[in-house]
Amino acid sequence: MNESAVTPTTSGSAADIAPSTVPISDDGATLLRVDDLRVSYRSGAGPVAALRGASIEVGAGEVVALVGESGSGKSTLAHAVIGLLGDNARIDSGRVEFAGEHVDPADEKSLRRLRGRRVGFVPQDPGLSLNPVLRVGDQVAEALLVHHLADKRTAGLRTLDLLEEVGLDRPEQRARQYPHELSGGQRQRVLIAIALACGPDLIIADEPTSALDATVARQVLDRLAERIAARGTAVLLITHDLAVAAERADRLVVLEGGEVVESGPISQVLAHPAHPYTRRLLAASPALAPTPFRPARARAATPLLSVHALHKRFHEAGITAVDNVEFSLDRGETLALVGESGSGKSTTARIALRLTDADSGTVTFDGHDLTGARRKGLRALRRRFQVVYQNPYSSLDPRWNVGDIIAEPLRAFGIGDRSQRVRELLDQVALPTDFTRRRPAELSGGQRQRVAIARALALRPDLLVLDEPVSALDASVQAQILDLLDDLQSELDLGYLFISHDLAVVRRISDRVAVMRHGRIVETGPTASLFTAPQHPYTRELLAAIPAPAFDIDGKETR
């Protein structure tokens, strides 16, 4: 590292850096200042630049959203500020100031006093960020004990207060539980409690809700907003979701390729985006730039897929996952199955494809009784429906090249002339034919999902089950995949069973929507009707969870 680039923080005790004793900055407003920061990572091919002179400021009590696609450098910037870069990272130049003092990422002792005490950090994945062998309460109390803000007795009492503050019910019981005993939303609340424990001046929240359902995400963000408003805490919110940023932040900072390409107040950036990259991000956000509803279509006399009175109970867990579910789907139609995690969506889809057997009920596919089909008949029917899974990073075999991955279903069914068919499929999903030699690790997330779609189309199916197919992708890549699915449906007359918890995406792609809760379908209807006149309270709750920015894309206040 260039030692002259970042000057060390003044050393001192925990009391020396208490929020009440350190001035915010020379101008009394700027809490965090990052100036011309350049960070690179070592790789086998040489250094890779992650930040190329990025500069941002966060004022006291201000919420600043740092937005951009995956790989833009958002998390690198956050980790550089608090000294959490990996061993293969290097700060080449730049300056970081917190509360008017220089921060030296090489001075671990000073950073330990800064982290938690002055800067709280909410990491992205609640499933990976908590210690699985420590009780939740002990992990919250640890922050207080490390910074000598409580003894063991008072730390325990303060932990209960913090768990209650972030909206966890029965805090005494939650404190005794291990992370695996909590839901994703509950674990994320615990991480927020840890970040708030020492009363920091700044919270850095790195994609704090990307792994959560929309309703849980809103609850978590609402709770965080309440606490920071009460404490006057500043927030650096890192996200690739412009709708969330526009709803929650005072200012937007747009990062592309490690450089800040635009920065300004929410209303200004939404109404007058100056940079082409910002305009592309705004246009790709389903919540900020909603498309018109699909026109209503006449229902077919014989549906492609029909399920009747499905019931499935997991007896060991004592959970009824699917309870008297009924719906139908036509050729060329998209039916969205929506609801929170655990509502029964994926189990219903697995039953519909005979990947799981129902306890009772029937599934009919193109006039054939799928629930009664056996071996040869079932295998023949399975050629006609395929699945595209949520995560393109885990659904492709990393050992195979793209050509082999796409050709796998063709080999399984003994279909010849596979090379020609693979080329046709790559062309259908708008990928170059020379991609056949690449492996998944050499592709972007959007390219991997295109490969997964090509594989699903290999046997010329009539039905695709799309299980959260864009939830792991950035907004602009989401838009590309959704456009591709539209084109393929028009060209091939495909039926889509589209599983999602993101109603902004559902509005964009579906003809009809079925809303699931606790294993039951509580409402079904055309997308336009369901969005404009929802009948069930749970549907209204889901719709309310779609981010609602304070300003529209014309810069006018919406609330």
Side-chain angles (χ1 to χ4, degrees):
M1 185 179 73
N2 182 347
E3 294 183 359
S4 64
V6 184
T7 310
T9 302
T10 304
S11 298
S13 66
D16 292 333
I17 59 171
S20 60
T21 61
V22 176
I24 292 301
S25 67
D26 293 337
D27 59 15
T30 301
L31 181 65
L32 173 68
R33 178 179 284 117
V34 177
D35 185 38
D36 196 31
L37 190 62
R38 298 175 184 273
V39 176
S40 60
Y41 290 93
R42 292 193 306 275
S43 74
V48 177
L51 291 177
R52 305 168 185 267
S55 299
I56 66 166
E57 292 186 0
V58 180
E62 184 182 31
V63 179
V64 175
L66 185 62
V67 303
E69 296 172 307
S70 296
S72 61
K74 305 185 303 293
S75 294
T76 295
L77 190 149
H79 292 165
V81 167
I82 51 179
L84 292 180
L85 289 170
D87 293 338
N88 65 330
R90 161 186 169 133
I91 296 181
D92 299 308
S93 64
R95 184 180 182 87
V96 177
E97 292 182 4
F98 184 81
E101 298 181 351
H102 303 308
V103 177
D104 180 6
D107 186 351
E108 183 62 25
K109 185 176 180 181
S110 293
L111 286 170
R112 286 179 182 273
R113 290 196 298 268
L114 184 70
R115 290 194 294 255
R117 185 70 175 93
R118 303 298 311 281
V119 181
F121 182 57
V122 183
Q124 178 173 355
D125 192 336
L128 299 176
S129 303
L130 293 170
N131 190 326
V133 300
L134 290 181
R135 298 180 191 274
V136 163
D138 292 337
Q139 298 188 57
V140 178
E142 182 181 19
L144 297 165
L145 295 171
V146 163
H147 292 284
H148 310 293
L149 296 178
D151 56 28
K152 286 188 177 181
R153 184 187 68 81
T154 55
L157 296 174
R158 179 64 184 134
T159 291
L160 298 181
D161 291 339
L162 286 162
L163 293 177
E164 186 173 14
E165 281 183 23
V166 297
L168 280 171
D169 62 333
R170 304 189 300 278
E172 295 87 355
Q173 176 183 336
R174 301 302 181 197
R176 295 192 297 271
Q177 290 180 308
Y178 292 92
H180 74 272
E181 298 177 284
L182 304 180
S183 70
Q186 289 170 335
R187 288 195 292 263
Q188 195 64 285
R189 286 179 169 92
V190 172
L191 290 173
I192 292 173
I194 294 171
L196 291 170
C198 298
D201 300 301
L202 171 69
I203 289 179
I204 298 175
D206 188 0
E207 300 278 8
T209 58
S210 63
L212 305 179
D213 294 323
T215 50
V216 178
R218 174 167 288 277
Q219 294 166 11
V220 167
L221 289 172
D222 285 346
R223 184 62 63 171
L224 180 58
E226 290 170 8
R227 300 319 309 153
I228 62 181
R231 297 166 182 242
T233 306
V235 179
L236 179 60
L237 174 63
I238 298 169
T239 182
H240 66 254
D241 189 334
L242 254 75
V244 169
E247 179 185 47
R248 300 287 173 171
D250 302 306
R251 281 194 303 118
L252 284 180
V253 177
V254 183
L255 202 62
E256 181 193 21
E259 299 180 77
V260 174
V261 297
E262 187 157 0
S263 176
I266 289 289
S267 58
Q268 174 187 316
V269 175
L270 290 182
H272 305 290
H275 197 275
Y277 179 70
T278 309
R279 292 196 288 270
R280 289 200 303 272
L281 289 180
L282 289 171
S285 172
L288 288 180
T291 56
F293 294 110
R294 285 187 174 190
R297 49 183 291 150
R299 300 305 313 281
T302 302
L304 176 64
L305 176 70
S306 177
V307 304
H308 176 70
L310 292 185
H311 186 91
K312 177 69 176 179
R313 181 173 176 82
F314 295 108
H315 294 281
E316 291 184 3
I319 296 172
T320 299
V322 178
D323 188 4
N324 198 36
V325 165
E326 298 190 5
F327 63 81
S328 62
L329 168 66
D330 294 341
R331 293 178 185 274
E333 181 188 34
T334 299
L335 173 68
L337 199 56
V338 307
E340 296 172 317
S341 296
S343 61
K345 306 186 300 295
S346 294
T347 301
T348 298
R350 289 179 61 81
I351 292 172
L353 301 184
R354 275 293 304 274
L355 299 176
T356 296
D357 288 327
D359 296 331
S360 60
T362 58
V363 178
T364 305
F365 180 79
D366 197 21
H368 301 275
D369 180 9
L370 199 59
T371 46
R374 293 292 179 267
R375 290 203 166 188
K376 189 175 180 180
L378 180 59
R379 179 175 170 81
L381 287 172
R382 276 184 172 159
R383 289 186 56 169
R384 301 178 59 191
F385 43 78
Q386 296 292 315
V387 186
V388 177
Y389 293 101
Q390 175 177 359
N391 193 338
Y393 296 92
S394 61
S395 61
L396 305 179
D397 192 323
R399 301 168 299 175
W400 290 7
N401 64 37
V402 165
D404 290 337
I405 289 170
I406 295 174
E408 180 186 13
L410 303 171
R411 286 194 301 272
F413 281 87
I415 296 174
D417 197 14
R418 293 190 285 269
S419 297
Q420 177 61 29
R421 180 63 178 146
V422 167
R423 287 194 293 271
E424 292 173 358
L425 289 162
L426 284 171
D427 183 61
Q428 278 188 318
V429 298
L431 288 177
T433 55
D434 61 8
F435 268 46
T436 55
R437 297 186 296 274
R438 297 194 185 187
R439 297 185 188 277
E442 300 174 271
L443 307 181
S444 69
Q447 289 169 339
R448 293 183 197 190
Q449 198 61 299
R450 288 172 186 267
V451 171
I453 293 170
R455 179 179 61 185
L457 294 174
L459 297 172
R460 295 184 171 87
D462 299 296
L463 170 68
L464 290 187
V465 173
L466 301 154
D467 192 354
E468 301 277 8
V470 296
S471 64
L473 305 176
D474 295 322
S476 58
V477 182
Q478 274 191 4
Q480 295 168 16
I481 296 300
L482 293 175
D483 286 343
L484 171 65
L485 291 173
D486 276 342
D487 293 342
L488 291 171
Q489 187 171 53
S490 298
E491 178 187 348
L492 304 173
D493 201 29
L494 292 167
Y496 291 156
L497 181 59
F498 191 92
I499 300 171
S500 181
H501 63 254
D502 188 337
L503 280 176
V505 170
V506 165
R507 173 195 167 113
R508 157 76 175 76
I509 197 170
S510 62
D511 296 292
R512 290 187 302 122
V513 180
V515 181
M516 287 197 74
R517 188 184 193 195
H518 302 325
R520 286 179 168 267
I521 290 181
V522 299
E523 185 168 358
T524 305
T527 305
S529 299
L530 189 136
F531 271 71
T532 56
Q535 300 300 305
H536 197 276
Y538 179 65
T539 307
R540 292 194 287 270
E541 182 183 346
L542 288 178
L543 290 169
I546 299 174
F551 299 89
D552 62 20
I553 56 174
D554 296 318
K556 298 176 182 177
E557 289 194 26
T558 59
R559 52 181 168 82

